[in-house]
Amino acid sequence: MNKEEHIEIERRIKTFSPVEALEALSADFFDEQACRRWILKNLHPDGAHCPGCGAEIESEIMIKNFWETRRCQCQECGKWFTSLTNTILHGTQMDMRQIYLLAVLISLRVDDELIAKFCKISTGTVRLWKMRFMPEKKEVLNGKFSFADS
């Protein structure tokens, strides 16, 4: 291969810039199951329990439902709930990818407008989530979230 052919091949190599990658970034690039698993393990480090009476969920079907954010019924008190009940995520319409990305970008102190773009939400929603993530029971240590015990 001569020098001209080599230059021609190099011209045909397709590429993209890091800026283009950043501009395309959104929650769609993350795996829903991996984000859900990480979030729920952090919300429920002691495993699946009823938010009403505190009983441990033992039924295989209910445990599976719990970790998939489906409805569960406590065998002790009869309460219906999901793994999002009594958490900061209760009632949210965002998917787990958006929530995970939102939390990461907030911790990195990214501008609200960029967070809104990446998560496909409004800047008002970003501000509301910042307040949700930062109640008095939580502290920020060296730019990292530290959840104090309840």
Side-chain angles (χ1 to χ4, degrees), residues 64-96:
K64 182 179 179 196
N65 285 352
F66 184 87
W67 294 114
E68 292 178 358
T69 64
R70 294 188 182 137
R71 285 175 33 117
C72 304
Q73 184 174 27
C74 178
Q75 294 176 1
E76 298 294 320
C77 70
K79 178 178 177 76
W80 284 94
F81 61 93
T82 73
S83 53
L84 302 181
T85 302
N86 291 352
T87 73
I88 64 169
L89 304 182
H90 182 77
T92 186
Q93 300 299 310
M94 294 169 55
D95 71 37
M96 295 295 183

Side-chain angles (χ1 to χ4, degrees), residues 48-66:
H49 291 83
C50 173
C53 70
E56 185 176 355
I57 307 303
E58 296 176 347
S59 158
E60 282 186 42
I61 292 170
M62 288 298 127
I63 289 172
K64 182 179 179 196
N65 285 352
F66 184 87

Side-chain angles (χ1 to χ4, degrees), residues 87-124:
T87 73
I88 64 169
L89 304 182
H90 182 77
T92 186
Q93 300 299 310
M94 294 169 55
D95 71 37
M96 295 295 183
R97 298 169 305 168
Q98 289 174 296
I99 294 165
Y100 180 81
L101 180 57
L102 174 70
V104 168
L105 295 174
I106 288 171
S107 75
L108 294 172
R109 297 187 173 130
V110 173
D111 179 72
D112 289 0
E113 289 183 17
L114 282 175
I115 295 173
K117 177 184 178 245
F118 295 147
C119 296
K120 299 179 182 177
I121 56 177
S122 71
T123 55

